[in-house]
Amino acid sequence: MAAQAPRVIKLLNSPVLVFAVSSYTPCMCAHPRSRIEILADPKPLFCQDSSPTCRSVIGGNPLLPRFGYPSERLLRLSEPKKYLPAFLEQRSRESPEWPVSLAAQNYNASKRILQLAQPKAVHPDFVPPREVPTQISSFAVSAKASARVEKLAEPLIREMTCCSKHTKPGVVISTVSRASQKVVASPRTIELSKPRQVHAKFMPARDPEWPVTAAAKRAMATERIVALAQPTARPRTGLTALNPDAFKVKEAALKAVCSPRLEELARPIQR
């Protein structure tokens, strides 16, 4: 008879989750166990210690010792990052925190500063965006479609024209009659069936790379070619062509009086 495997049992009256090893094994001689029952058994616990009790690690990793000291590597990694000497020499002040003077603490803001500190108000005609999920009324939920609405909701059925009525999709579209198979094409039909010819003076696309002749290398440009090669002279634009007197106001404009129509047009639109 094969040796019996040890069983693991739980001690109920123990404050700590402790497992003990028992040598009890039910008899498997009369009724052999199935493969599912064998796989359903819990895995045995293997302890390094030879004692009969061991701690369960089902809920997580085992606890560390109470009195443990970090290694030198952990102590060195836990130290804060030190600044480079070049950074300490180039920084503007010693610390990012600086004291605030008493005058700044007791300063009273003016009306203009308080006015500028107010947040920008929304335009009175501003309409906020409507929420995407709309509220459906109870009448619309309980409504029943009429016969006309149901008829209009039906999909449009189009007749399949790619296949013959007597064949299935994927089969030959139509059969060729015997008269069509024995017909003889006329000279006009044969002429129309010929592909269109290219023009006699048609030149195919030239290769983008071609050798340069020796005569072209020794050619000298004429005065006319040199004149045509000069870029087109256009007036300068930008700040270089800015007129210094462009923003100078004339004396007549300084003495001008605005008409009532201009005042009316200069007023902002009231919204």
Side-chain angles (χ1 to χ4, degrees):
M1 184 175 180
Q4 297 180 354
R7 301 276 294 179
V8 180
I9 60 175
K10 178 182 179 183
L11 301 181
L12 300 178
N13 299 327
S14 177
V16 183
L17 185 61
V18 179
F19 289 83
V21 180
S22 176
S23 61
Y24 172 75
T25 303
C27 182
M28 300 176 59
C29 301
H31 303 283
R33 301 175 62 190
S34 61
R35 178 60 177 170
I36 297 178
E37 293 179 354
I38 296 175
L39 295 176
D41 291 341
K43 292 183 179 180
L45 299 178
F46 298 95
C47 303
Q48 296 180 359
D49 191 4
S50 60
S51 61
T53 60
C54 62
R55 182 181 177 276
S56 175
V57 295
I58 297 177
N61 298 328
L63 298 176
L64 297 175
R66 293 185 179 180
F67 304 97
Y69 297 95
S71 61
E72 296 182 0
R73 174 64 175 171
L74 292 177
L75 293 176
R76 186 163 59 87
L77 293 175
S78 62
E79 295 179 357
K81 188 176 181 180
K82 299 180 180 180
Y83 295 100
L84 298 176
F87 172 76
L88 298 176
E89 295 177 358
Q90 297 179 1
R91 61 179 180 176
S92 57
R93 50 178 178 269
E94 296 181 357
S95 175
E97 299 179 358
W98 62 93
V100 183
S101 61
L102 296 176
Q105 295 179 6
N106 301 328
Y107 178 76
N108 295 326
S110 60
K111 295 181 180 181
R112 179 59 178 168
I113 294 178
L114 295 176
Q115 181 182 0
L116 295 174
Q118 296 295 331
K120 188 176 181 180
V122 184
H123 196 273
D125 296 339
F126 172 75
V127 179
R130 188 177 62 178
E131 296 182 359
V132 176
T134 56
Q135 298 293 337
I136 303 175
S137 60
S138 58
F139 299 99
V141 175
S142 59
K144 295 183 179 180
S146 60
R148 177 61 178 167
V149 174
E150 292 181 356
K151 184 177 180 181
L152 293 174
E154 294 178 358
L156 182 61
I157 300 175
R158 296 181 175 86
E159 185 180 0
M160 186 179 296
T161 58
C162 61
C163 301
S164 178
K165 295 182 180 180
H166 305 286
T167 58
K168 298 180 179 180
V171 191
V172 181
I173 295 177
S174 60
T175 56
V176 183
S177 60
R178 294 182 179 179
S180 299
Q181 296 178 3
K182 297 179 181 180
V183 73
V184 179
S186 61
R188 179 60 178 169
T189 304
I190 296 175
E191 183 181 357
L192 293 175
S193 64
K194 293 180 180 179
R196 188 176 181 180
Q197 300 295 329
V198 185
H199 195 271
K201 296 183 180 180
F202 173 76
M203 298 291 294
R206 188 176 58 176
D207 191 0
E209 297 181 2
W210 63 92
V212 182
T213 60
K217 294 180 180 179
R218 294 192 299 267
M220 300 295 294
T222 61
E223 296 181 359
R224 178 59 179 169
I225 294 178
V226 174
L228 293 174
Q230 297 297 328
T232 306
R234 295 183 176 88
R236 295 182 301 171
T237 58
L239 298 177
T240 56
L242 182 63
N243 186 8
D245 298 333
F247 300 98
K248 186 177 181 180
V249 183
K250 300 179 181 180
E251 296 182 0
L254 294 174
K255 299 177 181 179
V257 179
C258 183
S259 63
R261 178 59 178 167
L262 290 178
E263 292 182 356
E264 182 181 357
L265 294 175
R267 293 176 184 173
I269 299 175
Q270 299 293 337
R271 294 185 174 88

